[in-house]
Amino acid sequence: MVVLILLNTYPLLVSQDLVFHSKESALASSTKVLESALTGLEELTEENVGKAMERLDQLNVSRVLVTDLDGQVLYDSRETENARGMYVFYTEIVQALRGNDAFFCRYDGQAFVSRAASPVVFRSRVVGAVYAYEYDTEQATLLENLQGNLMKISAVVAVLVVLLSMLLSHNMTQRIRTLLQAIQNVREGSYSTRAQVNGTDEIAQIATEFNRMSDRLQKTEDARRRFVSDASHELKTPLAGIRLLTDSILQTEHMEESMVREFVLDIGHEAQRLSRISEDLLRLSRLDSDQAERAYPVRMEPVLKRVVRMLQMVAQKQEISLTYEADERAMVLATEDDMHQVLYNLIENGIKYSAAGGVVHTQLCVEDNEVVARVNDNGIGIPEEDRQHIFERFYRVDKMRSREIGGTGLGLSIVRDTVENRGGQITVEPRSDGPGTVFTVRLPLMEGGEIA
Ligand code: ADP
């Protein structure tokens, strides 16, 4: 609107101004010509003025008046309304008689009306005035045409702008509505909904980001469902065992005491399993909720020593030897409990999944600003297709074997989440020199911290 209003006013004002200026100079030169024709006349009379005017070429003005000092008209070029002999008191003439040049111009919508007057001077004495008047419709028509054209152009531009805005806003709202619909669907739980928005602009980018977010939501939701169903399944098995055992004891009359003891022992085992699972679940939910304990510098060597000491008995029972080498500089920002858990789970797995005569070797070293812990075993190894899944919750390569030896299927998930919480990462690969597995944990090296 502002542009259109400017377009419709500014050029017109400027052209009017230009016409005024050209009129002023044109009329000024006309009055100069008249004036010079009359110079040298000591006194102006109808006669000498008439003569002087006859000698003059046709001037390009509508009317010329010459008056004497009193304002009485001595000459009028307009024959139809001849004012000769009359006294005129046009403002311009009055000013000219006072010795000043005067000019006035106005545009009345149909014509440019301009008037100019100059004094006629004889020896520094004003003896009369010349007056020129012009009524110009030609320039006015040009200006009117210009105005008309500008109006037409503005109207076309306005219509185009309105149409274009409507089209754009319609297109925009349509796309936003699609996106909104998808957002509502996802909010209501239909995580598989995706927003179909074409293009590369910001709305399309929002849609892409929204789709990615929905992907994540869907994955998280799937994982949550799977986790809940796996967890309840895991809890159900020992509970069912306990019920079966208690029922057997209750329903069998005169059961031998040794038998009862055996059953109660089994119940105890199942209860132990339940408490292991619930402990692991609690630990995982703590890791999930990001309520990690405040980290402090932890020296890894003493932690590793303690873990090896704790597992030595178990290893010996299975005729597996536990060895380690440790770099004293290995220090990380974590908690002792975290690091204990990580090393314990990895070494315990090494023992669990190795046969008698095996060796589980742990190497703790510092490499390029990282503390690296490698746990090697020469046990049964992990098939390639399972390797990418073993960090998932409740994933076991051999369910039966894991259960038999007291595994919950949560150990490696806990290890991975703990390591990642402390800014590190864990990888697994098969041993290069025979059967077995190598787990490698990398954590940022903590240098020169206070030892807790
Ligand atoms: P679990 O309690 O069953 O040991 P984990 O999460 O610790 O659960 O391990 C997941 C699975 O990965 C195990 O069931 C086992 O099949 C496999 N696994 C883990 N560590 C080893 C290893 N050192 N050698 C062979 N298999 C392993």
PDB file of all heavy atoms in Angstrom, residues 167-189:
ATOM      1  N   LEU A 167      -2.456 -17.066  -2.857  1.00  0.00           N
ATOM      2  CA  LEU A 167      -1.938 -18.353  -3.321  1.00  0.00           C
ATOM      3  C   LEU A 167      -0.868 -18.885  -2.373  1.00  0.00           C
ATOM      4  O   LEU A 167      -0.897 -20.033  -1.929  1.00  0.00           O
ATOM      5  CB  LEU A 167      -1.338 -18.160  -4.718  1.00  0.00           C
ATOM      6  CG  LEU A 167      -1.169 -19.425  -5.541  1.00  0.00           C
ATOM      7  CD1 LEU A 167      -2.524 -19.839  -6.086  1.00  0.00           C
ATOM      8  CD2 LEU A 167      -0.196 -19.181  -6.680  1.00  0.00           C
ATOM      9  N   LEU A 168       0.085 -17.975  -2.025  1.00  0.00           N
ATOM     10  CA  LEU A 168       1.188 -18.377  -1.149  1.00  0.00           C
ATOM     11  C   LEU A 168       0.676 -18.780   0.225  1.00  0.00           C
ATOM     12  O   LEU A 168       1.088 -19.795   0.783  1.00  0.00           O
ATOM     13  CB  LEU A 168       2.196 -17.241  -1.008  1.00  0.00           C
ATOM     14  CG  LEU A 168       3.134 -17.054  -2.189  1.00  0.00           C
ATOM     15  CD1 LEU A 168       4.047 -15.877  -1.950  1.00  0.00           C
ATOM     16  CD2 LEU A 168       3.966 -18.303  -2.425  1.00  0.00           C
ATOM     17  N   SER A 169      -0.244 -17.947   0.763  1.00  0.00           N
ATOM     18  CA  SER A 169      -0.685 -18.251   2.132  1.00  0.00           C
ATOM     19  C   SER A 169      -1.516 -19.526   2.137  1.00  0.00           C
ATOM     20  O   SER A 169      -1.457 -20.315   3.072  1.00  0.00           O
ATOM     21  CB  SER A 169      -1.446 -17.071   2.727  1.00  0.00           C
ATOM     22  OG  SER A 169      -2.695 -16.963   2.092  1.00  0.00           O
ATOM     23  N   HIS A 170      -2.259 -19.748   1.039  1.00  0.00           N
ATOM     24  CA  HIS A 170      -3.037 -20.981   0.968  1.00  0.00           C
ATOM     25  C   HIS A 170      -2.097 -22.184   0.965  1.00  0.00           C
ATOM     26  O   HIS A 170      -2.257 -23.142   1.724  1.00  0.00           O
ATOM     27  CB  HIS A 170      -3.887 -20.969  -0.300  1.00  0.00           C
ATOM     28  CG  HIS A 170      -4.626 -22.246  -0.521  1.00  0.00           C
ATOM     29  ND1 HIS A 170      -5.761 -22.568   0.191  1.00  0.00           N
ATOM     30  CD2 HIS A 170      -4.383 -23.304  -1.340  1.00  0.00           C
ATOM     31  CE1 HIS A 170      -6.180 -23.742  -0.189  1.00  0.00           C
ATOM     32  NE2 HIS A 170      -5.363 -24.220  -1.113  1.00  0.00           N
ATOM     33  N   ASN A 171      -1.072 -22.072   0.123  1.00  0.00           N
ATOM     34  CA  ASN A 171      -0.094 -23.152   0.015  1.00  0.00           C
ATOM     35  C   ASN A 171       0.585 -23.404   1.356  1.00  0.00           C
ATOM     36  O   ASN A 171       0.730 -24.535   1.814  1.00  0.00           O
ATOM     37  CB  ASN A 171       0.928 -22.731  -1.049  1.00  0.00           C
ATOM     38  CG  ASN A 171       1.993 -23.768  -1.268  1.00  0.00           C
ATOM     39  OD1 ASN A 171       2.975 -23.783  -0.546  1.00  0.00           O
ATOM     40  ND2 ASN A 171       1.787 -24.633  -2.222  1.00  0.00           N
ATOM     41  N   MET A 172       0.957 -22.277   2.013  1.00  0.00           N
ATOM     42  CA  MET A 172       1.649 -22.360   3.301  1.00  0.00           C
ATOM     43  C   MET A 172       0.751 -23.022   4.355  1.00  0.00           C
ATOM     44  O   MET A 172       1.164 -23.948   5.040  1.00  0.00           O
ATOM     45  CB  MET A 172       1.996 -20.928   3.718  1.00  0.00           C
ATOM     46  CG  MET A 172       2.872 -20.834   4.926  1.00  0.00           C
ATOM     47  SD  MET A 172       4.541 -21.075   4.464  1.00  0.00           S
ATOM     48  CE  MET A 172       5.082 -19.401   4.310  1.00  0.00           C
ATOM     49  N   THR A 173      -0.492 -22.528   4.469  1.00  0.00           N
ATOM     50  CA  THR A 173      -1.363 -23.076   5.518  1.00  0.00           C
ATOM     51  C   THR A 173      -1.660 -24.548   5.246  1.00  0.00           C
ATOM     52  O   THR A 173      -1.762 -25.346   6.165  1.00  0.00           O
ATOM     53  CB  THR A 173      -2.701 -22.307   5.614  1.00  0.00           C
ATOM     54  OG1 THR A 173      -3.194 -22.113   4.306  1.00  0.00           O
ATOM     55  CG2 THR A 173      -2.537 -20.983   6.297  1.00  0.00           C
ATOM     56  N   GLN A 174      -1.754 -24.888   3.956  1.00  0.00           N
ATOM     57  CA  GLN A 174      -2.017 -26.292   3.602  1.00  0.00           C
ATOM     58  C   GLN A 174      -0.905 -27.182   4.150  1.00  0.00           C
ATOM     59  O   GLN A 174      -1.142 -28.221   4.774  1.00  0.00           O
ATOM     60  CB  GLN A 174      -2.070 -26.396   2.070  1.00  0.00           C
ATOM     61  CG  GLN A 174      -2.630 -27.701   1.556  1.00  0.00           C
ATOM     62  CD  GLN A 174      -4.087 -27.843   1.940  1.00  0.00           C
ATOM     63  OE1 GLN A 174      -4.821 -26.866   1.912  1.00  0.00           O
ATOM     64  NE2 GLN A 174      -4.484 -29.035   2.346  1.00  0.00           N
ATOM     65  N   ARG A 175       0.353 -26.729   3.940  1.00  0.00           N
ATOM     66  CA  ARG A 175       1.496 -27.539   4.371  1.00  0.00           C
ATOM     67  C   ARG A 175       1.577 -27.577   5.890  1.00  0.00           C
ATOM     68  O   ARG A 175       1.875 -28.604   6.481  1.00  0.00           O
ATOM     69  CB  ARG A 175       2.783 -26.987   3.769  1.00  0.00           C
ATOM     70  CG  ARG A 175       2.714 -27.016   2.262  1.00  0.00           C
ATOM     71  CD  ARG A 175       3.810 -26.220   1.648  1.00  0.00           C
ATOM     72  NE  ARG A 175       5.064 -26.935   1.686  1.00  0.00           N
ATOM     73  CZ  ARG A 175       6.233 -26.346   1.817  1.00  0.00           C
ATOM     74  NH1 ARG A 175       6.308 -25.056   1.953  1.00  0.00           N
ATOM     75  NH2 ARG A 175       7.334 -27.053   1.837  1.00  0.00           N
ATOM     76  N   ILE A 176       1.296 -26.421   6.511  1.00  0.00           N
ATOM     77  CA  ILE A 176       1.338 -26.403   7.985  1.00  0.00           C
ATOM     78  C   ILE A 176       0.255 -27.322   8.540  1.00  0.00           C
ATOM     79  O   ILE A 176       0.470 -28.040   9.512  1.00  0.00           O
ATOM     80  CB  ILE A 176       1.172 -24.958   8.518  1.00  0.00           C
ATOM     81  CG1 ILE A 176       2.407 -24.142   8.149  1.00  0.00           C
ATOM     82  CG2 ILE A 176       0.991 -24.950  10.026  1.00  0.00           C
ATOM     83  CD1 ILE A 176       2.354 -22.695   8.562  1.00  0.00           C
ATOM     84  N   ARG A 177      -0.906 -27.328   7.851  1.00  0.00           N
ATOM     85  CA  ARG A 177      -1.989 -28.180   8.332  1.00  0.00           C
ATOM     86  C   ARG A 177      -1.589 -29.669   8.263  1.00  0.00           C
ATOM     87  O   ARG A 177      -1.841 -30.431   9.179  1.00  0.00           O
ATOM     88  CB  ARG A 177      -3.243 -27.928   7.489  1.00  0.00           C
ATOM     89  CG  ARG A 177      -4.493 -28.079   8.318  1.00  0.00           C
ATOM     90  CD  ARG A 177      -5.719 -27.666   7.552  1.00  0.00           C
ATOM     91  NE  ARG A 177      -5.769 -26.244   7.312  1.00  0.00           N
ATOM     92  CZ  ARG A 177      -6.214 -25.674   6.182  1.00  0.00           C
ATOM     93  NH1 ARG A 177      -6.627 -26.421   5.190  1.00  0.00           N
ATOM     94  NH2 ARG A 177      -6.259 -24.382   6.063  1.00  0.00           N
ATOM     95  N   THR A 178      -0.908 -30.030   7.163  1.00  0.00           N
ATOM     96  CA  THR A 178      -0.439 -31.423   7.037  1.00  0.00           C
ATOM     97  C   THR A 178       0.476 -31.782   8.205  1.00  0.00           C
ATOM     98  O   THR A 178       0.342 -32.838   8.833  1.00  0.00           O
ATOM     99  CB  THR A 178       0.355 -31.591   5.714  1.00  0.00           C
ATOM    100  OG1 THR A 178      -0.369 -30.960   4.684  1.00  0.00           O
ATOM    101  CG2 THR A 178       0.598 -33.035   5.397  1.00  0.00           C
ATOM    102  N   LEU A 179       1.413 -30.832   8.479  1.00  0.00           N
ATOM    103  CA  LEU A 179       2.373 -31.067   9.549  1.00  0.00           C
ATOM    104  C   LEU A 179       1.651 -31.179  10.890  1.00  0.00           C
ATOM    105  O   LEU A 179       1.930 -32.076  11.699  1.00  0.00           O
ATOM    106  CB  LEU A 179       3.365 -29.897   9.560  1.00  0.00           C
ATOM    107  CG  LEU A 179       4.550 -29.974  10.500  1.00  0.00           C
ATOM    108  CD1 LEU A 179       5.348 -31.235  10.239  1.00  0.00           C
ATOM    109  CD2 LEU A 179       5.452 -28.770  10.336  1.00  0.00           C
ATOM    110  N   LEU A 180       0.708 -30.263  11.105  1.00  0.00           N
ATOM    111  CA  LEU A 180      -0.039 -30.227  12.361  1.00  0.00           C
ATOM    112  C   LEU A 180      -0.789 -31.540  12.576  1.00  0.00           C
ATOM    113  O   LEU A 180      -0.800 -32.106  13.679  1.00  0.00           O
ATOM    114  CB  LEU A 180      -1.028 -29.059  12.304  1.00  0.00           C
ATOM    115  CG  LEU A 180      -1.592 -28.609  13.633  1.00  0.00           C
ATOM    116  CD1 LEU A 180      -0.484 -28.031  14.481  1.00  0.00           C
ATOM    117  CD2 LEU A 180      -2.681 -27.570  13.421  1.00  0.00           C
ATOM    118  N   GLN A 181      -1.387 -32.024  11.489  1.00  0.00           N
ATOM    119  CA  GLN A 181      -2.148 -33.275  11.566  1.00  0.00           C
ATOM    120  C   GLN A 181      -1.228 -34.421  12.011  1.00  0.00           C
ATOM    121  O   GLN A 181      -1.562 -35.215  12.890  1.00  0.00           O
ATOM    122  CB  GLN A 181      -2.763 -33.578  10.192  1.00  0.00           C
ATOM    123  CG  GLN A 181      -3.712 -34.763  10.175  1.00  0.00           C
ATOM    124  CD  GLN A 181      -4.914 -34.529  11.090  1.00  0.00           C
ATOM    125  OE1 GLN A 181      -5.568 -33.499  10.985  1.00  0.00           O
ATOM    126  NE2 GLN A 181      -5.178 -35.443  12.005  1.00  0.00           N
ATOM    127  N   ALA A 182      -0.028 -34.436  11.394  1.00  0.00           N
ATOM    128  CA  ALA A 182       0.929 -35.496  11.742  1.00  0.00           C
ATOM    129  C   ALA A 182       1.327 -35.382  13.210  1.00  0.00           C
ATOM    130  O   ALA A 182       1.409 -36.386  13.929  1.00  0.00           O
ATOM    131  CB  ALA A 182       2.154 -35.386  10.848  1.00  0.00           C
ATOM    132  N   ILE A 183       1.554 -34.140  13.671  1.00  0.00           N
ATOM    133  CA  ILE A 183       1.956 -33.928  15.075  1.00  0.00           C
ATOM    134  C   ILE A 183       0.846 -34.429  16.010  1.00  0.00           C
ATOM    135  O   ILE A 183       1.113 -35.115  16.995  1.00  0.00           O
ATOM    136  CB  ILE A 183       2.262 -32.436  15.343  1.00  0.00           C
ATOM    137  CG1 ILE A 183       3.528 -32.028  14.589  1.00  0.00           C
ATOM    138  CG2 ILE A 183       2.460 -32.180  16.830  1.00  0.00           C
ATOM    139  CD1 ILE A 183       3.861 -30.558  14.663  1.00  0.00           C
ATOM    140  N   GLN A 184      -0.402 -34.086  15.650  1.00  0.00           N
ATOM    141  CA  GLN A 184      -1.517 -34.531  16.496  1.00  0.00           C
ATOM    142  C   GLN A 184      -1.592 -36.057  16.537  1.00  0.00           C
ATOM    143  O   GLN A 184      -1.788 -36.648  17.603  1.00  0.00           O
ATOM    144  CB  GLN A 184      -2.829 -33.955  15.967  1.00  0.00           C
ATOM    145  CG  GLN A 184      -3.065 -32.541  16.475  1.00  0.00           C
ATOM    146  CD  GLN A 184      -4.145 -31.814  15.703  1.00  0.00           C
ATOM    147  OE1 GLN A 184      -4.653 -32.324  14.714  1.00  0.00           O
ATOM    148  NE2 GLN A 184      -4.479 -30.631  16.149  1.00  0.00           N
ATOM    149  N   ASN A 185      -1.406 -36.684  15.369  1.00  0.00           N
ATOM    150  CA  ASN A 185      -1.461 -38.154  15.327  1.00  0.00           C
ATOM    151  C   ASN A 185      -0.415 -38.776  16.241  1.00  0.00           C
ATOM    152  O   ASN A 185      -0.689 -39.700  16.991  1.00  0.00           O
ATOM    153  CB  ASN A 185      -1.239 -38.660  13.900  1.00  0.00           C
ATOM    154  CG  ASN A 185      -2.441 -38.373  13.030  1.00  0.00           C
ATOM    155  OD1 ASN A 185      -3.494 -37.993  13.538  1.00  0.00           O
ATOM    156  ND2 ASN A 185      -2.294 -38.525  11.740  1.00  0.00           N
ATOM    157  N   VAL A 186       0.805 -38.213  16.149  1.00  0.00           N
ATOM    158  CA  VAL A 186       1.884 -38.770  16.969  1.00  0.00           C
ATOM    159  C   VAL A 186       1.586 -38.529  18.452  1.00  0.00           C
ATOM    160  O   VAL A 186       1.810 -39.402  19.287  1.00  0.00           O
ATOM    161  CB  VAL A 186       3.249 -38.173  16.563  1.00  0.00           C
ATOM    162  CG1 VAL A 186       4.324 -38.552  17.554  1.00  0.00           C
ATOM    163  CG2 VAL A 186       3.633 -38.656  15.185  1.00  0.00           C
ATOM    164  N   ARG A 187       1.055 -37.326  18.747  1.00  0.00           N
ATOM    165  CA  ARG A 187       0.730 -37.040  20.152  1.00  0.00           C
ATOM    166  C   ARG A 187      -0.286 -38.045  20.694  1.00  0.00           C
ATOM    167  O   ARG A 187      -0.233 -38.448  21.847  1.00  0.00           O
ATOM    168  CB  ARG A 187       0.181 -35.619  20.282  1.00  0.00           C
ATOM    169  CG  ARG A 187      -0.342 -35.337  21.699  1.00  0.00           C
ATOM    170  CD  ARG A 187      -0.728 -33.914  21.920  1.00  0.00           C
ATOM    171  NE  ARG A 187      -1.675 -33.344  20.997  1.00  0.00           N
ATOM    172  CZ  ARG A 187      -2.983 -33.592  21.013  1.00  0.00           C
ATOM    173  NH1 ARG A 187      -3.494 -34.432  21.884  1.00  0.00           N
ATOM    174  NH2 ARG A 187      -3.784 -33.023  20.136  1.00  0.00           N
ATOM    175  N   GLU A 188      -1.204 -38.444  19.810  1.00  0.00           N
ATOM    176  CA  GLU A 188      -2.216 -39.384  20.268  1.00  0.00           C
ATOM    177  C   GLU A 188      -1.721 -40.825  20.291  1.00  0.00           C
ATOM    178  O   GLU A 188      -2.497 -41.753  20.525  1.00  0.00           O
ATOM    179  CB  GLU A 188      -3.463 -39.261  19.387  1.00  0.00           C
ATOM    180  CG  GLU A 188      -4.335 -38.100  19.862  1.00  0.00           C
ATOM    181  CD  GLU A 188      -5.272 -37.606  18.787  1.00  0.00           C
ATOM    182  OE1 GLU A 188      -5.516 -38.374  17.833  1.00  0.00           O
ATOM    183  OE2 GLU A 188      -5.741 -36.466  18.908  1.00  0.00           O
ATOM    184  N   GLY A 189      -0.438 -41.014  19.976  1.00  0.00           N
ATOM    185  CA  GLY A 189       0.148 -42.339  20.144  1.00  0.00           C
ATOM    186  C   GLY A 189       0.384 -43.111  18.862  1.00  0.00           C
ATOM    187  O   GLY A 189       0.921 -44.209  18.894  1.00  0.00           O
TER     188      GLY A 189
END
